[in-house]
Amino acid sequence: MNKSIIYTGIAVLGLSSACTKLDEKSYDQIDAGKFFTNKIEVQSAVLRPYTHESAWATPAGADGWWRLAELSGDQLAWPTKGRHGEDGGKWKRLHYHSWTTDEVGLNSAWALIYEGMGQCNYAIDNIELRELNAMGITQEEKDEYIAELKLNRAFHYIKLMDLWGNVPISTQVGVPVNPTNTSRKEVFEFIEKEIKENIAKAPLLSGSMIGRMTQASGYAMLTELYLNAEVWSGTPRWDDCIANADKLISGLGGAQNGTMALDPNITDQFKPDNNLSKEVIFSIAYDYTRGNFEPKWPAEFYHFKQSDIYGGGRNGNNGVVVIPGVWSKYEETDLRKKEWFYSGPMIKFTDSTAALGSEEYNGKQLVFVDNIQKNSQGSAVSNMSEGEENSGIRFNKYKLGNSVKGPGNIGVNPNYNNTDWNIYRLTWIYFAKAEAIMRKNGGVADAVAVQLINDSKKRAYTAADWVGRAYTTSTLTLDELLAERGREFIFEGFRREDLIRFGKFNTGVWWDHTPSSPVRALFPIPQQQRDLNPNLAQNPGY
């Protein structure tokens, strides 16, 4: 699949859409006759929001949905490590749920997501405005483009609703100029209607639609919507969650490759050639080889000298780590514990000699430890201020591959730096269906729910180690399901959402985090946006 189609021609339209102040850039005043004059220009407008999504929907080095969703949860943190990572205390406030209404990061996330939503509106407005022959497309293509854009717009609104609840809805650029908040229930209903009206008009998922909204993406969004319906709308929708999960499981929405199915192992979804995965439903697609568009997450996770360790050309800010104790919740025989994390002494990819640190461990072997404390000083004090450069188990779930030769016959990976970031995958759908079944049944698992989770989890063990580890209807409790969700979907962006749905986000205790006010289940509307738009009301409690 030529993933570079997602980036080809995007420079034709140098879009940068407005946020809440929807008339800040007056796209409704642009002469549409100067754009959308051929199919390439139309496609570039349809595809533009996807590259923008890389900034806010993935750990991309920007304050977006991913950072807010994961760094406020119980698995990941960005502690201060020596002289690095204080960043004005922003990561501590996320971790301790002590954020304020004028957080720069909150405003950046709001602006980024609304910008992407505006890019969808801009394309919809102009494609609907012009005649088919003027754009060089057929009616079928026009209908598919509009459906794809509306599904993508719905995706933006799901994440806005997740974070802020009561957000403005706008379906046209600059209309209205200063929108008011819409209640979370009404936002939920708008999203549901948009998806249901457009899902059948969108293309099926296929190799040519990787990284784009399809019928499969629509069913996945509905599954997420109904899984969280009780929180987001006030009414549980478990049967609807199950029905849409079943559509994906049966392959009704198409598949990246062949028939939709779980991948046979725990690495296929996260490799540089994960466009070959059978279970990925929607991803942010990267093509460094042909499109010069590379994954952004190394900046978030990688050590300053990480390139020595994996044999690539990219390093990071030594930022996000696993909260102490989370890694130990994996059994030693769990292959995810080995495959998805960096832990212990680090060695160089090229010759297996010691990989050296550059700060507190300058000239010494870098050893990633399952604690956050100043070990070099003999201190046992552990909190968000007490880290060193080696503090915390590290991310290795997604792999870039290597750009240099390794020992023996290890050659350069031909797909180096092409790894797509998954938003929805079939394993997540299995878990959603299992949870919906259990919720319907008073929190008790039946044989179907157990089978769904066992089919997913058994890939993390060898056949010998799996013996005796399968869940039963008595061992798969809701608490255990939440724990297994944490082990399976760590780093994938859903942890805050899960904790809220399970009633743990404000009541839970993890590492040095203590319970917070229930109002913290929503973020405040950024004060900078309220200054721009006087019609925006603040969320309760702020």
Side-chain angles (χ1 to χ4, degrees):
M1 198 299 264
N2 185 4
K3 293 189 287 182
S4 61
I5 189 175
I6 294 179
Y7 330 113
T8 301
I10 283 173
V12 172
L13 294 174
L15 304 182
S16 179
S17 181
C19 309
T20 303
K21 187 80 169 174
L22 294 173
D23 66 335
E24 190 172 338
K25 290 185 181 294
S26 300
Y27 290 116
D28 55 330
Q29 297 175 15
I30 290 177
D31 180 2
K34 297 180 180 178
F35 300 96
F36 300 88
T37 59
N38 57 62
K39 188 173 181 177
I40 293 296
E41 290 180 352
V42 174
Q43 286 180 326
S44 69
V46 173
L47 299 175
R48 178 63 183 93
Y50 295 115
T51 56
H52 183 76
E53 275 159 48
S54 173
W56 65 263
T58 77
D63 289 314
W65 166 77
W66 189 91
R67 282 183 174 178
L68 300 184
E70 284 288 9
L71 299 184
S72 60
D74 64 349
Q75 292 189 305
L76 306 178
W78 190 321
T80 301
K81 304 181 196 72
R83 64 193 179 100
H84 297 285
E86 181 63 21
D87 297 336
K90 61 188 291 186
W91 314 122
K92 295 175 186 176
R93 291 191 293 276
L94 269 179
H95 176 76
Y96 296 126
H97 296 186
S98 59
W99 49 76
T100 65
T101 60
D102 59 357
E103 294 282 347
V104 172
L106 283 178
N107 184 61
S108 296
W110 175 286
L112 278 171
I113 303 174
Y114 266 105
E115 181 175 339
M117 182 278 296
Q119 290 169 352
C120 294
N121 281 346
Y122 173 69
I124 293 168
D125 287 352
N126 281 281
I127 294 173
E128 288 183 334
L129 174 70
R130 293 183 59 73
E131 298 294 333
L132 293 172
N133 59 357
M135 295 184 288
I137 62 175
T138 66
Q139 184 64 52
E140 181 181 7
E141 288 171 330
K142 177 180 178 179
D143 292 344
E144 287 188 347
Y145 289 148
I146 294 295
E148 179 181 353
L149 285 161
K150 288 185 175 180
L151 290 178
N152 204 358
R153 182 171 67 188
F155 175 66
H156 286 71
Y157 275 115
I158 286 175
K159 299 313 178 187
L160 288 164
M161 178 180 62
D162 174 28
L163 298 176
W164 287 285
N166 312 300
V167 297
I169 293 176
S170 175
T171 58
Q172 287 183 281
V173 175
V175 180
V177 172
N178 287 316
T180 59
N181 308 69
T182 304
S183 73
R184 195 181 215 181
K185 182 176 184 295
E186 291 174 300
V187 177
F188 180 98
E189 291 168 351
F190 166 77
I191 295 167
E192 180 184 23
K193 182 174 182 288
E194 283 274 284
I195 297 173
K196 291 174 74 172
E197 287 181 351
N198 289 283
I199 193 167
K201 301 174 187 176
L204 292 168
L205 175 59
S206 65
S208 64
M209 289 297 291
I210 290 176
R212 296 174 64 177
M213 281 287 167
T214 63
Q215 291 185 30
S217 312
Y219 292 131
M221 287 191 288
L222 286 175
T223 302
E224 181 182 7
L225 202 66
Y226 296 136
L227 181 65
N228 293 282
E230 189 167 19
V231 173
W232 289 348
S233 75
T235 303
R237 302 279 294 273
W238 307 121
D239 284 329
D240 289 326
C241 178
I242 293 167
N244 281 276
D246 281 339
K247 289 176 182 178
L248 285 163
I249 293 169
S250 68
L252 189 61
Q256 278 195 166
N257 298 280
T259 303
M260 182 73 69
L262 293 181
D263 288 325
N265 57 61
I266 60 166
T267 57
D268 283 349
Q269 314 94 311
F270 310 110
K271 299 189 300 185
D273 61 353
N274 61 352
N275 58 301
L276 302 178
S277 165
K278 286 184 173 293
E279 76 166 68
V280 174
I281 296 168
F282 174 56
S283 62
I284 305 301
Y286 298 96
D287 193 331
Y288 177 72
T289 304
R290 290 169 293 187
N292 199 32
F293 189 67
E294 63 184 6
K296 307 301 181 184
W297 43 260
E300 210 87 347
F301 297 114
Y302 280 2
H303 184 270
F304 306 125
K305 299 177 68 177
Q306 191 87 14
S307 58
D308 290 345
I309 298 168
Y310 74 96
R314 304 183 64 190
N315 295 305
N317 296 320
N318 200 34
V320 177
V321 303
V322 179
I323 284 175
V326 171
W327 184 67
S328 65
K329 294 177 182 177
Y330 293 83
E331 293 183 298
E332 289 303 313
T333 53
D334 190 329
L335 300 175
R336 295 171 296 189
K337 190 171 188 176
K338 173 185 176 183
E339 290 287 349
W340 291 357
F341 303 91
Y342 283 114
S343 64
M346 294 294 104
I347 59 174
K348 292 183 179 180
F349 178 82
T350 52
D351 59 12
S352 299
T353 60
L356 306 181
S358 59
E359 298 291 320
E360 293 86 357
Y361 295 86
N362 186 28
K364 301 177 183 177
Q365 185 169 23
L366 192 59
V367 180
F368 294 137
V369 295
D370 190 18
N371 63 57
I372 297 172
Q373 59 197 47
K374 297 189 186 312
N375 295 304
S376 66
Q377 300 177 17
S379 173
V381 177
S382 181
N383 58 48
M384 284 286 287
S385 299
E386 295 296 315
E388 299 181 314
E389 71 169 309
N390 70 331
S391 293
I393 302 300
R394 306 304 175 91
F395 169 95
N396 191 32
K397 192 171 191 176
Y398 284 82
K399 297 173 173 60
L400 288 181
N402 56 290
S403 59
V404 297
K405 292 182 178 180
N409 295 320
I410 299 177
V412 172
N413 189 314
N415 294 296
Y416 167 71
N417 217 16
N418 288 333
T419 316
D420 299 339
W421 183 272
N422 306 326
I423 302 297
Y424 296 112
R425 57 188 179 99
L426 189 60
T427 303
W428 190 91
I429 301 299
Y430 271 45
F431 273 73
K433 179 181 177 180
E435 182 180 336
I437 291 171
M438 294 175 69
R439 299 281 187 184
K440 278 188 61 180
N441 199 31
V444 178
D446 66 7
V448 175
V450 167
Q451 190 66 50
L452 287 164
I453 304 305
N454 282 338
D455 284 349
S456 301
K457 185 177 181 179
K458 68 183 179 183
R459 299 174 299 173
Y461 294 84
T462 65
D465 288 334
W466 179 242
V467 174
R469 285 183 166 80
Y471 286 116
T472 66
T473 54
S474 59
T475 59
L476 185 60
T477 63
L478 281 176
D479 282 345
E480 179 57 27
L481 181 66
L482 177 63
E484 184 58 24
R485 283 190 70 92
R487 289 187 286 268
E488 178 65 28
F489 302 111
I490 190 168
F491 305 115
E492 294 189 41
F494 292 102
R495 192 57 178 175
R496 171 184 169 275
E497 184 180 295
D498 291 346
L499 291 173
I500 291 172
R501 196 172 61 254
F502 279 80
K504 306 286 188 182
F505 186 71
N506 303 112
T507 62
V509 176
W510 51 85
W511 182 36
D512 66 335
H513 172 95
T514 56
S516 60
S517 168
V519 304
R520 300 284 161 163
L522 284 178
F523 288 102
I525 306 298
Q527 186 57 47
Q528 296 93 323
Q529 296 299 322
R530 297 187 69 217
D531 291 340
L532 285 170
N533 178 3
N535 291 334
L536 285 178
Q538 186 54 274
N539 277 332
Y542 289 102

